[in-house]
Amino acid sequence: MAEVAIVGGGPAGLMAAEVLAGAGHRVTVHDAMPSPARKLLLAGKSGLNLTHSEPWQRFIGRYRPNEPMLLAALDAFRPADLVEWADGLGADCFVGSSGRVFPKAMKASPLLRAWLRRLADLGVTIRTRHRWTGFSDHGLTFETPDGRLDIAPDAALLALGGASWPRLGSDAAWVAPLRAIGNDVADLKPANAGFDVDWDAAFVERFAGAPVKSVTATSDAGTTPGEFVISRHGIEGSLVYLHAAALRDRLDAEGKADFLLDLVPGRSVERLARDLGRQDAKASFSNRLRKGAGLDGVKAALARLFMSEDERRHPDRLAARLKALPIPLRRMRPIAEAISSAGGIRFASLDDRFMLKARPGTFVAGEMLDWEAPTGGYLLTGCFATGRAAARGLMDWLAER
């Protein structure tokens, strides 16, 4: 059996290790951090969202770009397969009210402990504090506590993550050496991150941290219901992340973008105009909003911030604006604050087995690849699926040799 080096001990790398070791290969995982899967552990602190239970066609529609290789990897390891795998480690998964899938323990640590035991039983060796520094003529080089390490495995698989949460190891230091050997690497950008908004100081003081619930948002990504949170900088949260890629791309292309909100999704604009028209024109704006539209607190404050005096006075215009309130965005938050990153090694630099065309015998998986998806279980599913697909591609390549 072959000697295989995996660089990166996150979900993609560990899943590849399991597949390869399960087939009898000698596998060593090299990770730069003191322990593996640090980002997975942090993500699981507030509830480990493994995947999503929505219909398959809607599920795969969350991924962009719509690359055949990525979709094939996902098809080979669907959410139900991931749940079966996790349950085999004792996760006892359940589907939450939102359709998201969680392990019963909610946290990542019990699942990771069981997984590492399984990998150890399969003979996988994990080397920590091994920071990959690039390629040598015959293999890979690492910086370790004992100095430089050069290895020449029969094949290698890179799963070094993107550029979000760099303090946990995903610092994108791999971009330069990959570009140096001729790979096409799309610039890394924040994904699943918040946006800056020019809030009024009084608004921030009162509403920073407040949730905005039961709204719908519209962007180039479509219209979706949900909720988000007001931050001191701007907006963040699950509904923002669903639209983050589309909003980021519009900001990049045009220098401006609006997060368009329907604050009263349960009523048509015509009905809302009638309800507002019944209010006493001499009443305060706050009272007219509360009695005519059922809005108060942070929703009423948002309406006040982003509405003209003329719109406030006329029920028809007021109703139209409440159904489509634009929150102007200044910029996306920095990539170091993002949950994930977009960009990476373009699929054109790979063959259909996830092997680098510029370096035969070296495969790539996970967030290093040029794809993105919103939060909700899609990110982890993509990492697990590409880790499995790259491992299978690596085994096919070894078999051909």
Side-chain angles (χ1 to χ4, degrees):
M1 287 286 109
E3 189 77 39
V4 180
I6 294 176
V7 186
L14 295 181
M15 182 58 79
E18 180 176 338
V19 172
L20 289 160
H25 295 290
R26 298 183 298 276
V27 179
T28 301
V29 177
H30 302 263
D31 194 88
M33 303 303 288
S35 59
R38 311 248 313 187
K39 189 173 176 182
L40 177 69
L41 286 172
L42 182 63
K45 276 193 172 181
S46 57
L48 182 63
N49 183 192
L50 282 171
T51 189
H52 204 288
S53 64
E54 68 184 357
W56 175 245
Q57 288 303 319
R58 190 183 306 164
F59 182 89
I60 60 171
R62 306 290 190 183
Y63 294 83
R64 49 181 286 182
N66 192 19
E67 285 287 343
M69 279 177 59
L70 175 62
L71 299 186
L74 289 163
D75 191 34
F77 194 62
R78 293 190 175 200
D81 301 315
L82 175 50
V83 169
E84 182 180 0
W85 170 84
D87 284 347
L89 290 170
D92 194 13
C93 294
F94 70 95
V95 180
S97 58
S98 64
R100 299 182 180 196
V101 179
F102 301 88
K104 185 177 180 180
M106 294 299 287
K107 296 182 179 181
S109 50
L111 179 71
L112 180 60
R113 284 195 297 270
W115 195 7
L116 292 176
R117 285 195 297 270
R118 175 186 287 179
L119 292 173
D121 290 342
L122 288 170
V124 174
T125 300
I126 297 179
R127 303 291 188 199
T128 57
R129 294 186 172 90
H130 278 212
R131 181 174 297 279
W132 182 63
T133 53
F135 298 105
S136 63
D137 290 342
H138 303 291
L140 309 171
T141 64
F142 296 87
E143 177 187 288
T144 80
D146 298 319
R148 172 174 167 145
L149 172 69
D150 290 88
I151 63 172
D154 296 306
L157 190 150
L158 307 180
L160 286 153
S164 62
W165 290 351
R167 62 188 177 87
L168 299 179
S170 298
D171 58 7
W174 54 265
V175 171
L178 266 293
R179 281 179 171 160
I181 64 169
N183 293 286
D184 186 5
V185 182
D187 290 341
L188 295 170
K189 300 178 180 180
N192 292 295
F195 291 84
D196 288 344
V197 178
D198 283 331
W199 296 131
D200 175 89
F203 176 87
V204 170
E205 196 61 34
R206 183 175 178 187
F207 293 109
V212 183
K213 298 183 177 182
S214 302
V215 295
T216 63
T218 298
S219 72
D220 293 336
T223 299
T224 51
E227 62 182 73
F228 65 99
V229 176
I230 303 296
S231 72
R232 300 197 72 83
H233 299 290
I235 56 174
E236 58 186 37
S238 58
L239 186 58
V240 175
Y241 303 153
L242 279 172
H243 294 267
L247 294 168
R248 179 198 65 221
D249 291 351
R250 184 167 284 274
L251 274 170
D252 288 346
E254 302 179 7
K256 60 182 180 179
D258 290 334
F259 189 52
L260 197 63
L261 289 180
D262 181 349
L263 295 176
V264 198
R267 275 186 265 184
S268 67
V269 67
E270 294 81 11
R271 179 188 164 190
L272 187 57
R274 289 196 301 271
D275 292 342
L276 290 165
R278 295 190 186 102
Q279 306 309 310
D280 184 353
K282 295 181 180 179
S284 68
F285 181 58
S286 295
N287 278 334
R288 285 186 288 126
L289 278 183
R290 180 172 54 81
K291 294 180 180 179
L295 299 181
D296 56 12
V298 65
K299 286 186 178 180
L302 285 170
R304 187 177 290 106
L305 272 180
F306 300 113
M307 193 175 294
S308 70
E309 189 61 37
D310 184 64
E311 287 167 333
R312 296 184 195 185
R313 286 198 302 264
H314 296 86
D316 289 348
R317 296 176 189 174
L318 175 56
R321 184 54 80 202
L322 292 176
K323 296 291 289 182
L325 184 73
I327 298 181
L329 308 177
R330 290 190 61 201
R331 67 179 73 87
M332 204 169 192
R333 295 298 297 166
I335 197 167
E337 297 179 15
I339 292 173
S340 60
S341 57
I345 300 169
R346 297 189 195 274
F347 284 88
S349 290
L350 307 172
D351 70 5
D352 59 5
R353 295 172 295 194
F354 289 86
M355 184 172 73
L356 292 172
K357 294 176 182 177
R359 192 170 177 95
T362 301
F363 296 75
V364 183
E367 266 198 87
M368 288 181 72
L369 298 168
D370 182 19
W371 63 275
E372 64 177 309
T375 57
Y378 309 103
L379 293 169
L380 274 178
T381 304
C383 289
F384 285 129
T386 57
R388 285 177 61 87
R392 294 187 182 280
L394 188 154
M395 290 192 296
D396 288 345
W397 181 79
L398 287 172
E400 287 179 2
R401 296 183 68 203

